[in-house]
Amino acid sequence: MAYSIVVVDDHKIMRDGIKAILQRSGEFTVVGEAETGVGAVQICRELRPDVVLMDISLPGMNGIEATRQIRARCPETAVLALTVHEDSQYFFQMLGAGASGYVPKRAAADDLVAAIRVVHRGEVFLYPSVAKVLVRSYLGQAGPTAAVPDEERLTPREEEVLIRIAEGLTNQEIAEQLVLSVKTVDRHRENIMRKLKLHRRAELVKYAIERGLIEL
């Protein structure tokens, strides 16, 4: 069964491009689109889509407030930010509003498809440019003598991957540097996020609040 998607962007050419990408995948059905925050809230109340792709810069009500209202009225709908803004400030504002992921518009089509799958599962999608903010925070907080259970301690290879995530490298770049396959890097990334307990949005919010990254 295809996931139902609503695309929110104030530029028609962008909405058309996104729809074309999703239709090619065969996994998604774009059931609606909106060019304003108000329109996004209305259409989500009517259609109850699985996932909303939300731009931030919208006329009138911005994407942050629209996300907050959609999540309050349609808690079963996941929101994925798709925006030109890569400032961590915007990510944390979207996170606080209820978004489950953040993808820059410069991302590859495969990244967008992967992000939709992740947030639809109820998990958090972290694009490398956003993930590095959290990773750097983790590296700064975790002291070498900290008591960590064996099952939660990162392996040397996971630490290598973690550091490169913090440097903003993509999975492909990490794979090339460490002479690994991209699939292996993906697996290490999943293990890292599991051990840091950052799979679910609630865990990510808790983590960000504890480190002073956002205030709710």
Side-chain angles (χ1 to χ4, degrees):
M1 181 176 177
Y3 306 160
S4 57
I5 310 291
V6 163
V7 179
V8 183
D9 196 289
D10 59 338
H11 295 98
K12 187 177 188 303
I13 191 170
M14 179 60 67
R15 297 197 304 272
D16 289 346
I18 294 169
K19 288 189 293 183
I21 290 172
L22 299 183
Q23 288 167 357
R24 283 199 302 270
S25 75
E27 295 181 58
F28 314 107
T29 299
V30 177
V31 295
E33 57 185 280
E35 60 184 13
T36 66
V38 171
V41 174
Q42 292 175 340
I43 198 168
C44 287
R45 290 182 67 182
E46 294 171 3
L47 301 179
R48 305 278 172 167
D50 294 318
V51 179
V52 178
L53 303 183
M54 179 70 72
D55 193 10
I56 292 178
S57 299
L58 298 170
M61 180 192 296
N62 63 31
I64 298 169
E65 180 57 30
T67 295
R68 184 174 290 109
Q69 293 195 23
I70 289 170
R71 292 291 296 151
R73 301 177 185 186
C74 311
E76 71 282 5
T77 296
V79 178
L80 176 65
L82 182 61
T83 176
V84 297
H85 300 292
E86 294 191 48
D87 190 321
S88 60
Q89 173 186 355
Y90 285 103
F91 167 72
F92 291 121
Q93 289 183 33
M94 285 295 287
L95 179 70
S100 295
Y102 198 100
V103 179
K105 288 182 178 178
R106 66 177 176 84
D110 288 347
D111 288 329
L112 176 59
V113 170
I116 295 173
R117 293 181 186 135
V118 169
V119 300
H120 183 261
R121 292 198 303 264
E123 299 178 2
V124 174
F125 182 86
L126 299 176
Y127 193 78
S129 61
V130 174
K132 68 181 181 181
V133 177
L134 296 177
V135 171
R136 283 174 176 162
S137 174
Y138 171 80
L139 291 174
Q141 293 285 332
T145 60
V148 180
D150 288 342
E151 66 273 13
E152 295 181 11
R153 185 176 294 117
L154 300 184
T155 67
R157 179 62 87 183
E158 289 167 352
E159 290 182 354
E160 290 179 327
V161 172
L162 180 65
I163 290 170
R164 285 161 176 78
I165 293 173
E167 292 172 346
L169 273 63
T170 64
N171 284 4
Q172 181 64 50
E173 292 168 336
I174 294 172
E176 292 172 357
Q177 281 198 8
L178 298 181
V179 194
L180 300 170
S181 70
V182 174
K183 286 186 178 180
T184 298
V185 174
D186 284 337
R187 187 169 65 253
H188 284 313
R189 182 188 286 269
E190 290 175 0
N191 289 338
I192 289 166
M193 301 310 291
R194 174 178 54 78
K195 290 179 179 181
L196 299 188
K197 296 180 173 62
L198 295 179
H199 272 298
R200 303 288 175 175
R201 180 185 167 274
E203 294 163 347
L204 183 55
V205 170
K206 180 175 182 291
Y207 178 90
I209 292 174
E210 288 174 348
R211 283 153 181 76
L213 299 173
I214 60 173
E215 295 182 1
L216 298 181

